[in-house]
Amino acid sequence: MDENEFLARRFEAHRTHLRAVAYRMLGSLSEADDAVQEAWFKLHRSDTSEVGNLGGWLTTVVGRVCLDMLRARTARREDPLEERVRLPDPIISGVDGVDPEQEALLADSVGLALLVVLEALAPAERLAFVLHDLFAVPFDEIAPVVGRTPAAARQLASRARRRVHGAVPTPDPDVAKQREVVDAFLAAARDGDFDALVALLDPDIVVRSDGGTLRPGGLVRGAAAVAGGAIFAARFAGVSRPALVNGAAGVVATADGRPISVLAFTITNGRIASIAILNDPERLDRLDLTVLEG
């Protein structure tokens, strides 16, 4: 085995982990793959003979690549004018369970609700939180990536943690019970039963929708507003197919065999605390729905 082949095999042993890091950092599966590929290029060009922990070294490399990508993404935005919601890429599985290849991406209950909040963090805050809180990278290794002292990196993660814990509801763990609530929600929406819908919704529910650049989505708050919107939307919902979306009970709505929306639900204490709706035609066309067949 030559040196390049040996290096490639060592890298492949870490690819799944690195993709999980990049997905949490970027919320995009395609960009996560790009970041992992860039990490391979950097490894190939680097002298790692003195690196004792290749996995840790690669994790921080991917973190640095993702940080640069996040900063470039932020620079392209037209803030403060651009206020549309951008949802992360959903990971869709069949109702029977998560595909083994998706398990690493969804470890630590990485639901869309968490990723949505991470999207709102500053790039350095997101990196400090993801690397430390989700992957246990020490702050003295995070500090050089963000160009701060370890103490400052700790503060970045602390600020991010407060925002995450204050904004992400803790989902009920039983997926079967989640499904019962989602099915009841869909039935009430189809029947136009406003009172039944309100009873299923947390009073402070937040619905986020992302229709892409041509169909901007936004935010809807409160049980009454969400119930009214659900009854209206049910008229155009197409065929609702049950699915797991980032490991939680969700729905893929289709029309003529093509996806028209993906709904991810966060169920807390038996009520729907948040819904994320992706109805961006371009991104929906890229989804692999073969997992729902059969």
Side-chain angles (χ1 to χ4, degrees):
M1 184 187 304
D2 64 25
E3 183 176 347
N4 286 338
E5 184 179 356
F6 176 71
L7 195 63
R9 287 194 177 186
R10 293 184 69 195
F11 181 81
E12 287 301 318
H14 297 285
R15 180 182 289 276
T16 300
H17 164 79
L18 298 176
R19 190 167 186 251
V21 173
Y23 175 61
R24 287 157 179 74
M25 281 292 300
L26 300 168
S28 165
L29 294 169
S30 61
E31 289 183 356
D33 288 334
D34 291 343
V36 172
Q37 190 64 22
E38 180 62 25
W40 161 247
F41 293 144
K42 289 182 179 295
L43 173 63
H44 197 64
R45 295 192 298 263
S46 302
D47 178 8
T48 57
S49 59
E50 302 298 320
V51 174
N53 179 2
L54 183 63
W57 185 87
L58 286 169
T59 297
T60 56
V61 167
V62 165
R64 190 184 301 275
V65 171
C66 291
L67 182 63
D68 290 342
M69 294 171 74
L70 286 175
R71 285 171 170 165
R73 183 193 293 174
T74 301
R76 289 194 299 269
R77 291 175 178 164
E78 298 177 359
D79 290 333
L81 298 177
E82 183 185 84
E83 296 181 352
R84 78 172 182 87
V85 173
R86 184 191 184 281
L87 294 178
D89 288 346
I91 298 175
I92 298 174
S93 315
V95 293
D96 293 333
V98 175
D99 186 288
E101 293 185 3
Q102 300 172 332
E103 287 180 352
L105 290 175
L106 297 177
D108 305 314
S109 300
V110 183
L112 283 191
L114 170 60
L115 291 173
V116 166
V117 175
L118 294 183
E119 289 281 330
L121 298 178
E125 289 178 343
R126 185 167 184 170
L127 180 133
F129 176 81
V130 168
L131 290 192
H132 181 267
D133 285 41
L134 302 185
F135 293 99
V137 177
F139 286 117
D140 59 356
E141 295 179 21
I142 295 172
V145 180
V146 294
R148 311 282 182 93
T149 64
R154 184 185 298 274
Q155 286 299 314
L156 288 172
S158 179
R159 285 204 302 269
R161 194 178 304 119
R162 287 194 296 270
R163 294 184 64 181
V164 168
H165 289 175
V168 180
T170 301
D172 294 345
D174 190 326
V175 176
K177 291 183 178 179
Q178 292 178 21
R179 176 60 56 194
E180 291 176 3
V181 175
V182 171
D183 289 346
F185 171 84
L186 296 175
R190 286 193 299 267
D191 294 341
D193 192 334
F194 181 85
D195 291 338
L197 281 168
V198 170
L200 292 165
L201 303 175
D202 184 282
D204 298 319
I205 183 174
V206 177
V207 174
R208 297 174 175 87
S209 60
D210 179 356
T213 55
L214 299 180
R215 295 161 52 186
L219 289 172
V220 178
R221 299 180 184 273
V226 171
I231 291 172
F232 177 79
R235 305 173 189 175
F236 313 100
V239 178
S240 297
R241 306 176 67 179
L244 293 179
V245 181
N246 284 61
V251 172
V252 177
T254 62
D256 299 323
R258 299 185 65 181
I260 57 175
S261 64
V262 174
L263 284 75
F265 296 79
T266 301
I267 314 295
T268 301
N269 297 323
R271 288 186 170 186
I272 301 172
S274 69
I275 307 174
I277 305 172
L278 178 65
N279 51 10
D280 179 348
E282 291 185 8
R283 295 174 67 193
L284 290 170
D285 282 345
R286 295 197 294 266
L287 295 179
D288 178 10
L289 298 184
T290 58
V291 294
L292 302 182
E293 297 176 355

